[in-house]
Amino acid sequence: MSPETAPVRTAATPREAAVDTPNLATRLKFVYLIARLGLASLLWALAAPVVHLLTSRRLGTRIGRAVISNLYGVFWNSAQRMGMMRIDSSALDVLRDE
C-alpha cells in the first residue's frame, strides 16, 4: 500500500485527539500566572481611583495606560520565562509611542 492510499487513522476519543494535554506542573504554572495577573489587576483597580482624583484626566490616562501595559508586559515575560508561551510581539512595536 503506498503512502497516498494508506488509511488515515482518526482519534477514537477526544482525549486521544489532544496533542499535548497539560500535566500538573504546567497547570500549576498557569494558575500561578493568572492569579498573579489577577492580584496585580485588583491592586491597580484599587489604586486607579486615587490616581484619578490626584491627577488631570490627560495625565491619569497616560499613567493608567502605562501601568496596564506594564502589568501585561510582566505577565507575558513571566509566562515566556516559565515556558508557558512564545510571543512575537514585534507587530506591536508600531504602538509603542501611543
Side-chain angles (χ1 to χ4, degrees), residues 44 51 55 58-68:
W44 174 243
V51 172
T55 62
R58 183 175 181 190
L59 179 59
T61 299
R62 290 188 69 174
I63 291 171
R65 288 179 180 173
V67 169
I68 292 168

Side-chain angles (χ1 to χ4, degrees), residues 26-81:
T26 302
R27 291 176 186 199
L28 290 176
K29 286 179 191 178
F30 180 72
V31 167
Y32 168 74
L33 286 168
I34 294 298
R36 200 170 89 177
L37 179 63
L39 179 61
S41 297
L42 175 63
L43 292 174
W44 174 243
L46 296 173
V50 176
V51 172
H52 176 71
L53 290 173
L54 299 176
T55 62
S56 67
R57 181 180 179 128
R58 183 175 181 190
L59 179 59
T61 299
R62 290 188 69 174
I63 291 171
R65 288 179 180 173
V67 169
I68 292 168
S69 175
N70 286 328
L71 284 177
Y72 277 91
V74 168
F75 172 77
W76 286 7
N77 288 330
S78 297
Q80 284 181 309
R81 281 194 312 271

